[in-house]
Amino acid sequence: MTPTAKRFILNQLKANRIMSLATVRPDGYPQATTVTYANDGLTLYFCCDRNSQKARNLRRSPKVSLTINKDTANWNKITGLSMGATARILDKPADTKRALTLLARKFKDMRNLSAEDLAELAFVRVQPKVVSMLDYRREFGWTKQVRV
């Protein structure tokens, strides 16, 4: 990955707060949901209800796809990311604490979660394997794929 590509990806991760995440359902179909995220470099973190369908899906299969982009009224200003990745529900307290710290830095309301609230959450680490960068400012449909 070139320094320019990495800078573009990190800028997109910093500029946005929401991703669409697709997990694999038991019947093989994708399930797409919207989640907030925080990142540490190229590694993404999110949390969800530990009994949610996406958490159950992740326990069966770590394969995910996701998109990150900003809403814009001008199609020729679309920028964003599309990723193929693996995701894992964190089980070590130090890993969970790291994820919560990153998320609480980005989403201030997470600082007020009680121990009871936290017990209901699954914290997830997402490791990108391939990233497609989208930048329609260059030209309509411009993408470039990089391996991580």
Side-chain angles (χ1 to χ4, degrees):
M1 176 182 318
T2 67
T4 302
K6 187 170 185 178
R7 190 170 38 256
F8 179 88
I9 294 166
L10 291 173
N11 285 340
Q12 290 297 308
L13 294 175
K14 183 179 179 181
N16 295 289
R17 301 167 60 88
I18 296 172
M19 68 178 170
S20 295
L21 177 79
T23 57
V24 182
R25 295 183 347 183
D27 60 8
Y29 283 94
Q31 178 207 359
T33 57
T34 301
V35 296
T36 57
Y37 72 90
N39 67 295
D40 182 9
L42 300 178
T43 302
L44 306 172
Y45 295 89
F46 72 91
C47 66
C48 61
D49 184 291
R50 72 175 42 263
N51 297 312
S52 67
Q53 184 176 356
K54 78 178 124 300
R56 291 191 311 270
N57 291 346
L58 290 172
R59 287 184 191 103
R60 270 191 317 281
S61 173
K63 293 180 179 181
V64 297
S65 290
L66 65 95
T67 62
I68 296 171
N69 50 43
K70 190 175 291 194
D71 185 26
T72 179
N74 298 323
W75 63 266
N76 61 349
K77 293 194 178 188
I78 293 172
T79 61
L81 304 171
S82 174
M83 297 183 191
T86 56
R88 185 174 68 81
I89 295 175
L90 301 173
D91 53 8
K92 294 179 183 168
D95 293 339
T96 299
K97 183 178 179 182
R98 175 74 178 141
L100 177 58
T101 299
L102 289 166
L103 287 161
R105 226 181 260 156
K106 197 167 185 176
F107 303 97
K108 308 232 183 297
D109 53 333
M110 290 194 73
R111 296 176 185 170
N112 300 322
L113 293 175
S114 68
E116 192 174 272
D117 294 331
L118 292 171
E120 299 298 318
L121 297 176
F123 288 86
V124 180
R125 177 186 297 133
V126 180
Q127 295 290 156
K129 301 298 180 195
V130 63
V131 179
S132 290
M133 302 176 292
L134 292 79
D135 191 349
Y136 286 20
R137 297 169 303 182
R138 292 175 176 238
E139 68 179 88
F140 178 75
W142 186 92
T143 62
K144 181 176 182 177
Q145 190 177 85
V146 295
R147 292 219 171 265
V148 178

